[in-house]
Amino acid sequence: MLRLTRARRHGGDAVMQPPRSRPPRRITIVDVARHAAVSTKTVSRVLNGEPHVTDAVRDRVREAVRTLDYHPNIMAQGLARQRSHLIGLVYENPSPSYVVDLQMGVLDRLRGERYRLVVLPVRSVTDHADEVVGLLRSAAVDGVVLAPPASDSRRILDELTAIGMPFARIAPTRWPELTPGVVVDDVVAACEVAALVLKQGHRRIGIIKGDPTHAAAEARMAGYAKAFAAAGLSIDPDLVLDGLFTFDSGFAAAQTLLARRDRPTAILAQNDDMAVGALMAAREAGIDVPGDLSIVGFDDSEIARITWPRITTMRQPVFDMAVSATTLLLDQLGGAQVPANVAHEHHLVERDSLAAAPGP
């Protein structure tokens, strides 16, 4: 329906204009309390999961919330409690599959909680460790989940401790006294995957290491060395090349290894992205996998499952570890006691990229 608003003269005629629509009124906690016939304090108790509320009242409040489509103002709640209800996630790892599993694990655990996630990717923790805590403070997070290599940065850990910001570490390999953390034994896991390759009769084995700034790279090398020593062998340093946990670095390193006259019969890559990079390099060189070359990865990320041949790898449960780390952080924020570390199991996943060593 049109109505006459302030008339403007255009040749003597009044101009008809539509009325301005008012924005819909925001449903408040008062509306919920009135609908449920309880006090606003009772509604607050139900929304915050507090005790001393009967089941009947709790059901009535929840029904009112659904009927009115009420959404609490998280920022207002945070101001009232001097909390932002924001949790930070700091990571550097360039592997897309790793990052997706990491974020999905945190988000899965936060489902149904009042907290929201703030993602803070860092190009190089080594170069920018002094900026990370400043970013976290600027983002006003209540606590933070630290993924490698931030979980092994002494500077970040000390600064977080100094300002009293709760944290939980994913896959730390250094300073176990700085807790809590979610761990998997990289040395044992890498030893098992290397032993599997050696069991297939491979002796010329190339190794593509991960980013040297990540402590996991050295831990996995230690595991490989342990498996070689158990077989009465030693790692050939000429067959060890550095990568960066990226597809491109795995591709480039594998090209170098496969160009050798005494090229390896197997490649151990320290993550699945580099393993798939090695697979592409082998295809480009016309080398059959696994007939002429076996390739093994680490992590059991999605890329290892969807390429062909599918990659034999060591499963590191990144999603589950992220869930556990978030739980540790939420427990701290809730004032609960938390364990020093939560251990997760690794598992060998044998697929199609590994076969017996070819004959001489």
Side-chain angles (χ1 to χ4, degrees), residues 48 64 125 172 176 179 208 272 295 320 339 343:
N48 294 324
V125 168
T179 58
I208 305 177
D272 294 330
I295 298 174
D320 295 338

Side-chain angles (χ1 to χ4, degrees), residues 208 243-255 273-278 281:
I208 305 177
L244 295 170
F245 287 128
T246 63
F247 171 91
D248 289 340
S249 67
F251 182 86
Q255 281 186 314
D273 289 69
M274 294 192 300
V276 174

